[in-house]
Amino acid sequence: MECRGILIRILILLTLVFGTKSTTTPAQQVKTSCSVCESMPIPNLDHVKLLFRDLFTNNKEYSNLVFPHKDQLATINVNMKFALYSIPEFDELGGTLKVIGRLKMAWFDHYVIEKYTPQKHVLEALDIPQNDIWLPPITVFNSVESLTPVGHSGYEVTITLTNGYVQWEIGVVTKTGCTVVASDYPFDTQYCTITFTPWGYSNNEVSIQTDEDNINIEDFIENEEWAVIDSTQEIYVAANRSLISYHLTLKRRPVFFIINMMVPIVLLGMLNSLCFVLPIDSGERVGFATNVFLTFAVYLTILSGELPVSNPLSIMSYYVAAMLSVSSITTLIAIFTIQVSIYDPNEKVPPILVYIVAFVTCRVCRKRYRMMGLHHETFEKMPLEDEIADPVITSPNNEGEGEADDSVEKYRFGVSWRVVGKTLDKFFFLLFSTGTIAVSSYFLVPLFMKLDTSIA
């Protein structure tokens, strides 16, 4: 009996499931659902006017001067996002960074939803002028122009009326302070910060928050001189004030400065030593050395005008100052070598100097000049390799053995004051050429090690 009852119940259940058909047609179902839509009025201008009148114009309870929370001791959390558009100016001398960006903020306004009735006001979101609603006085904390809240009166605020969620999106053009360290110029990297704070409110009243990890640079327009290689953000509390700082890492694009600054200075350094190659008879040696010295002075002036007064000083400034010093020494030695070369040929060259010059020029190794170093012998007149005009030992057909001995003594190894001058020219040419390369390598190689080819 129990089994029969169970079977009967199963048959009845199957009959109810498969035997019953819906009496509602698809068209009727669509019509029923649309009837709900038709019951909601379409938003029009009257609804907007009514909304403004009830919530803002005639609502004496709402004021943009009043903290928008029922609990006046509560904290309003302002969510902030910053997008960087461009860097139109970075003044290293003044230590200022000018940026153009977009600032987007959002918070909850509890007073907005008090007078809102969905069936009456219809609209769920509304754009209103920013002057009609309470706004957090967000200010650029490290601005060098003025400490006034951002945002122009022409901006609008979007309000979600169902929950009082307010979104405020504005453009920001500001100039902030930035400490410039130019020791690695023109391969330097600068770190600048843009800091925002709700001016006049403590951290317990208005607190800044964010749901982004970094600055938005998707629409950033690259700068011709500076590249943004990194950016970070930091939220912290200082002096009981909530602050958010956006840190930018800027690296200079060095190609322009390499071509127009560094290459000419290196070439001038190489030309500096060439003054010892100029013939003394041309009379241009001192003028050439002086012009190079003045050119270095001009470059040092230009460089000092481009860079700020910083500690430590730029390596390029040290380099140009070192090359200027080398150029001044070159000018002094060039004058000295001219004086040696035009010394009275009748004056005897000191024996020590004779042996030094003879050793340096390998005259002691060559038979022709080694025989000239012997006393009381005479030789036929032979043209010297260094200069034909140099006095030489007279031949036996000349005035006599005494004069020959005197000539041998005076021009031992064929070394005259003119030969001494030419030897000094060769020595100082090699010395200053090597010194210029050494000084350039000492200062420039560490700089070029910091070259980033990806942004050059």
Side-chain angles (χ1 to χ4, degrees), residues 228-249:
V228 179
I229 61 175
D230 191 21
S231 61
T232 58
Q233 64 183 16
E234 176 186 9
I235 298 178
Y236 57 99
V237 177
N240 198 26
R241 180 184 289 113
S242 180
L243 298 101
I244 181 170
S245 294
Y246 297 97
H247 306 285
L248 293 173
T249 303

Side-chain angles (χ1 to χ4, degrees), residues 98-130:
K98 185 177 182 180
V99 298
I100 300 176
R102 182 190 73 242
L103 198 61
K104 187 174 182 180
M105 292 161 284
W107 65 92
F108 286 95
D109 192 317
H110 291 256
Y111 287 164
V112 171
I113 59 177
E114 284 189 351
K115 297 293 183 179
Y116 175 72
T117 304
Q119 294 78 10
K120 178 182 178 181
H121 299 120
V122 181
L123 293 172
E124 295 183 355
L126 181 67
D127 293 337
I128 65 171
Q130 67 176 34

Side-chain angles (χ1 to χ4, degrees), residues 380-399:
E380 293 184 356
K381 186 177 180 180
M382 297 178 296
L384 301 179
E385 292 181 2
D386 291 334
E387 52 183 57
I388 299 177
D390 276 352
V392 294
I393 306 305
T394 57
S395 63
N397 298 325
N398 286 342
E399 296 181 358

Side-chain angles (χ1 to χ4, degrees), residues 276-436:
F276 297 106
V277 180
L278 287 175
I280 296 176
D281 298 336
S282 65
E284 298 294 333
R285 177 175 293 190
V286 177
F288 178 84
T290 304
N291 288 334
V292 174
F293 172 80
L294 293 176
T295 305
F296 277 120
V298 170
Y299 269 103
L300 186 60
T301 303
I302 295 174
L303 192 62
S304 62
E306 292 288 334
L307 299 178
V309 179
S310 62
N311 188 20
L313 197 62
S314 169
I315 295 178
M316 277 296 297
S317 298
Y318 286 116
Y319 172 60
V320 178
M323 296 304 296
L324 183 66
S325 302
V326 172
S327 180
S328 63
I329 297 174
T330 303
T331 305
L332 295 176
I333 294 179
I335 298 173
F336 170 74
T337 55
I338 292 175
Q339 289 295 108
V340 172
S341 298
I342 64 174
Y343 205 74
D344 187 359
N346 295 322
E347 291 290 334
K348 181 181 177 180
V349 181
I352 296 178
L353 186 57
V354 169
Y355 282 104
I356 293 175
V357 173
F359 178 79
V360 171
T361 58
C362 292
R363 289 172 179 259
V364 295
C365 304
R366 288 181 285 180
K367 181 179 179 181
R368 177 182 185 181
Y369 294 109
R370 188 171 64 249
M371 294 177 64
M372 291 182 183
L374 301 177
H375 290 281
H376 309 295
E377 295 185 9
T378 57
F379 311 96
E380 293 184 356
K381 186 177 180 180
M382 297 178 296
L384 301 179
E385 292 181 2
D386 291 334
E387 52 183 57
I388 299 177
D390 276 352
V392 294
I393 306 305
T394 57
S395 63
N397 298 325
N398 286 342
E399 296 181 358
E401 185 176 349
E403 294 183 1
D405 291 342
D406 182 67
S407 181
V408 170
E409 178 68 23
K410 185 182 299 185
Y411 303 108
R412 177 174 294 185
F413 297 109
V415 176
S416 64
W417 283 111
R418 193 173 184 85
V419 173
V420 173
K422 286 192 173 184
T423 304
L424 291 176
D425 287 342
K426 294 177 182 179
F427 171 75
F428 286 120
F429 170 74
L430 295 176
L431 177 64
F432 281 95
S433 297
T434 306
T436 299

Side-chain angles (χ1 to χ4, degrees), residues 75-106:
T75 301
I76 290 184
N77 297 318
V78 178
N79 187 283
M80 186 175 296
K81 302 176 183 178
F82 181 66
L84 183 64
Y85 287 160
S86 66
I87 301 177
E89 179 185 350
F90 185 23
D91 184 7
E92 297 102 312
L93 290 177
T96 58
L97 174 69
K98 185 177 182 180
V99 298
I100 300 176
R102 182 190 73 242
L103 198 61
K104 187 174 182 180
M105 292 161 284

Side-chain angles (χ1 to χ4, degrees), residues 172-234:
V172 176
V173 181
T174 183
K175 183 179 291 187
T176 60
C178 181
T179 302
V180 178
V181 179
S183 58
D184 296 330
Y185 175 90
F187 306 104
D188 52 325
T189 302
Q190 305 299 335
Y191 303 92
C192 298
T193 301
I194 307 170
T195 302
F196 296 95
T197 184
W199 194 268
Y201 286 95
S202 66
N203 181 57
N204 298 326
E205 295 172 327
V206 177
S207 177
I208 296 178
Q209 298 179 348
T210 184
D211 54 9
E212 290 188 347
D213 299 330
N214 216 329
I215 300 176
N216 185 353
I217 56 174
E218 294 179 356
D219 300 323
F220 178 71
I221 301 175
E222 293 291 339
N223 185 272
E224 296 83 0
E225 184 178 354
W226 296 93
V228 179
I229 61 175
D230 191 21
S231 61
T232 58
Q233 64 183 16
E234 176 186 9

